[in-house]
Amino acid sequence: MITKKIELAIQSLNNENLVAIPTETVYGLAGNAFNEKAVKKIFTLKKRPFHNPLIIHIKSYEYLDKVAKDIPKIAKELAKSFWPGPLTLVLKKKDIIPDIVTSGKDTVAIRVPNHALTLELLDNLDYPLAAPSANPFSTISPTTTEHVDGYFGNDLEVILDGGACEKGIESTIIGFEDEYPIIYRLGSLSLEEIENKIGKVYTKNKNDVSPVAPGMLTRHYAPRTEMILVDEPKNKLKYFSNKKVGVLSFKKKLNSLLPEDQEVLSESGDLNEAAKNLYAAMHRLDSGRFDIILAERFPNIGIGKTINDKLERATKKEEKLANEIELIKDLEKDIIINTVFPGLIP
Ligand code: TXA
Ligand code: MG
């Protein structure tokens, strides 16, 4: 049921069941983080591998000591600056967190979400909430109750309605190696905002050999429709004249395509607005109407960097596109093609 009543959510969670919760980033699939049975249900419903650990959501900075230990000074500084907000910190865990939450790791990912309804919910619980994004493993994350309902409507008693997510992209994840901060996943909190606070930060976001956070897996936020990332969709349309093409762009619709075949993320050119609209637009374009989606590359600044990162991960479809090598050869041999079809063009 889609509802605004937190009493229903409390009841469900206290019964070891799962509830979809709104956050400022994306909707979460939440269960009692101290309860193995509830946490197991999260993995099962999401079809998520058990080696992929969850984020726990706590109600305030003050609660941090209950779940984490040996907290680096910089972690405290970051938490004080950005919580509640789209920052997840990976810290040494205390024994109170069951191993199933952290996939056996001695660290736990923690954040305080910035959403009034969920903060009120957490205030009424005597445990934190383990919550991954409320979508089946490796599909597009949900930013509205409708998205969650489409994925899990039949399986959940309660989808807590907090409206459309304000940020629209997952939290930024920071871990610590020898007390040095390292970005494991680019997210709603931009690199610039973090570096303005604590100086230069190393990013391991693209290490897909041995991913620390599975958000780092190269192909992750995938629509079912093939998607290609290009500098200017307009110039690439000619290569797909025999296909039904949908376009995802930053500011402007193309005159050469039907308006209903296009999604513009921000007419005013606001990157934050674009981030907020990104997943909903991908959901709409992925309705099955198109053979291919051409996505425009964003300016690589601020949250634009995160948008590009998500788009790159959504466009890793090497196998399916191998039969289109001829087309690809025709496309400009630029960095974008190399990113989208790694290894195909030397
Ligand atoms: O914005 C968000 O972070 C949303 C909302 C619901 O809070 N949650 C979210 O959760 O995106 P999920 O499960 O989709 O992504 C969690 C990421 C995964 O990539 C996971 O591998 C990483 O966090 N993670 C969790 N625990 C970790 C740990 N101990 N060390 C490294 N990475 C960890
Ligand atoms: Mg996710």
Side-chain angles (χ1 to χ4, degrees):
M1 184 205 309
I2 300 175
T3 173
K4 291 188 161 68
K5 292 191 182 135
I6 66 163
E7 306 76 47
L8 295 176
I10 294 168
Q11 200 177 25
S12 221
L13 289 163
N14 284 341
N15 287 337
E16 304 180 321
N17 286 324
L18 307 184
V19 166
I21 54 163
T23 81
E24 79 282 30
T25 58
V26 299
Y27 272 79
L29 184 63
N32 177 349
F34 291 162
N35 181 302
E36 270 185 46
K37 203 169 142 196
V39 174
K40 201 165 168 209
K41 284 183 185 170
I42 298 176
F43 283 95
T44 308
L45 185 56
K46 217 180 130 78
K47 297 202 174 64
R48 179 176 178 120
F50 281 98
H51 61 73
N52 188 346
L54 306 177
I55 294 175
I56 68 162
H57 298 69
I58 60 174
K59 63 181 171 190
S60 65
Y61 173 76
E62 287 68 39
Y63 197 88
L64 187 56
D65 280 331
K66 212 174 155 79
V67 286
K69 61 184 182 189
D70 307 334
I71 304 166
K73 213 169 131 225
I74 298 184
K76 290 185 183 166
E77 202 181 315
L78 284 167
K80 279 190 198 146
S81 304
F82 296 114
W83 282 356
L87 169 71
T88 294
L89 296 172
V90 177
L91 300 168
K92 281 257 162 17
K93 87 175 191 74
K94 281 195 171 161
D95 290 342
I96 193 165
I97 305 288
D99 286 338
I100 185 170
V101 172
T102 64
S103 304
K105 286 172 181 279
D106 62 358
T107 52
V108 58
I110 307 165
R111 80 181 194 99
V112 180
N114 191 12
H115 193 292
L117 203 57
T118 292
L119 285 172
E120 191 186 338
L121 173 64
L122 285 166
D123 218 22
N124 280 280
L125 303 172
D126 50 15
Y127 45 83
L129 290 172
S133 50
N135 53 301
F137 185 62
S138 90
T139 60
I140 304 167
S141 293
T143 56
T144 64
T145 52
E146 289 76 25
H147 296 157
V148 181
D149 199 35
Y151 285 138
F152 298 127
N154 297 331
D155 308 293
L156 291 175
E157 283 173 1
V158 179
I159 297 173
L160 198 55
D161 185 358
C165 300
E166 185 201 325
K167 299 281 182 190
I169 289 183
E170 292 86 344
S171 61
T172 299
I173 303 181
I174 298 189
F176 297 85
E177 296 180 15
D178 297 330
E179 307 234 329
Y180 285 104
I182 305 220
I183 296 185
Y184 290 149
R185 178 176 78 180
L186 275 177
S188 279
L189 188 64
S190 72
L191 185 62
E192 285 88 336
E193 283 171 279
I194 295 162
E195 292 192 333
N196 279 342
K197 249 320 148 228
I198 57 169
K200 191 99 192 96
V201 181
Y202 184 66
T203 302
K204 270 200 184 170
N205 192 51
K206 292 210 169 144
N207 177 356
D208 54 353
V209 179
S210 169
V212 182
M216 291 160 66
L217 288 171
T218 46
R219 204 180 129 200
H220 196 70
Y221 303 91
R224 286 158 305 184
T225 314
E226 287 172 10
M227 188 155 120
I228 300 186
L229 183 57
V230 296
D231 266 346
E232 298 218 29
K234 195 168 93 188
N235 299 341
K236 302 292 190 287
L237 279 176
K238 57 177 183 269
Y239 295 102
F240 301 98
S241 54
N242 57 342
K243 298 208 170 191
K244 179 83 178 137
V245 180
V247 168
L248 178 74
S249 47
F250 182 18
K251 295 186 241 185
K252 264 206 234 127
K253 286 202 171 166
L254 308 178
N255 295 330
S256 47
L257 216 62
L258 290 172
E260 61 264 32
D261 291 351
Q262 306 182 54
E263 292 286 341
V264 169
L265 296 187
S266 171
E267 280 178 12
S268 64
D270 177 343
L271 287 170
N272 289 317
E273 186 185 28
K276 178 175 177 174
N277 292 330
L278 176 68
Y279 289 152
M282 277 167 68
H283 273 278
R284 286 192 294 270
L285 287 170
D286 199 25
S287 62
R289 285 195 298 138
F290 303 109
D291 301 320
I292 195 133
I293 301 166
L294 291 186
E296 178 180 359
R297 182 175 286 268
F298 277 67
N300 218 29
I301 44 161
I303 202 70
K305 232 179 239 164
T306 302
I307 296 175
N308 283 335
D309 183 65
K310 303 297 171 196
L311 288 174
E312 276 171 23
R313 288 167 204 278
T315 50
K316 299 281 173 186
K317 297 263 183 178
E318 304 90 339
E319 271 172 54
K320 274 182 122 181
L321 287 169
N323 59 359
E324 291 180 350
I325 287 176
E326 286 312 306
L327 272 177
I328 295 158
K329 277 187 193 154
D330 267 1
L331 294 169
E332 287 161 18
K333 293 180 175 53
D334 55 16
I335 180 98
I336 295 145
I337 303 306
N338 266 319
T339 318
V340 178
F341 309 104
L344 283 182
I345 292 164

